[in-house]
């Protein structure tokens, strides 16, 4: 979060809160998967969809641009 914010890729919000929310999504998906008998093989795909939905609202520049900037740091 801090790296993405430092290059202007993500909005300047409280990164600790965003990280906590990402962690909460992970924990919820683990518990949800177990409770509903969902396959563990599909969990990364389900989690990615949820994390992208959360983080997309913070993006200031297109995904390809901020990934290139982050890799240059």
């Amino acid at each position: 979060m801090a790296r993405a914010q430092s290059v202007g890729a993500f909005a300047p919000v409280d990164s600790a809160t965003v990280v906590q929310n990402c962690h909460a999504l992970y924990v919820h998906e683990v518990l949800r998967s177990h409770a509903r008998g969902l396959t563990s093989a599909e969990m990364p795909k389900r989690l990615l969809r949820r994390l992208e939905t959360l983080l997309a609202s913070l993006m200031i520049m297109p995904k390809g641009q901020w990934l290139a900037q982050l890799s240059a740091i």
Side-chain angles (χ1 to χ4, degrees), residues 25-67:
L25 283 177
Y26 170 76
V27 170
H28 182 264
E29 191 58 44
V30 168
L31 296 174
R32 175 180 171 266
S33 296
H34 178 73
R36 295 194 178 154
L38 302 173
T39 65
S40 58
E42 293 293 316
M43 190 178 115
K45 189 185 296 184
R46 291 190 304 269
L47 184 58
L48 179 62
R49 185 177 59 244
R50 295 179 76 180
L51 289 171
E52 283 181 333
T53 301
L54 171 69
L55 297 174
S57 63
L58 299 176
M59 286 183 199
I60 294 173
M61 64 177 62
K63 185 175 181 179
Q65 285 181 347
W66 67 261
L67 286 174

Side-chain angles (χ1 to χ4, degrees), residues 1-13 15 18 52 54-73:
M1 277 300 304
R3 285 178 48 196
Q5 289 172 328
S6 72
V7 297
F10 275 10
V13 297
S15 59
V18 174
E52 283 181 333
L54 171 69
L55 297 174
S57 63
L58 299 176
M59 286 183 199
I60 294 173
M61 64 177 62
K63 185 175 181 179
Q65 285 181 347
W66 67 261
L67 286 174
Q69 283 194 2
L70 285 178
S71 65
I73 295 177

Side-chain angles (χ1 to χ4, degrees), residues 9-25:
F10 275 10
V13 297
D14 179 42
S15 59
T17 300
V18 174
V19 171
Q20 286 175 334
N21 287 341
C22 290
H23 180 260
L25 283 177

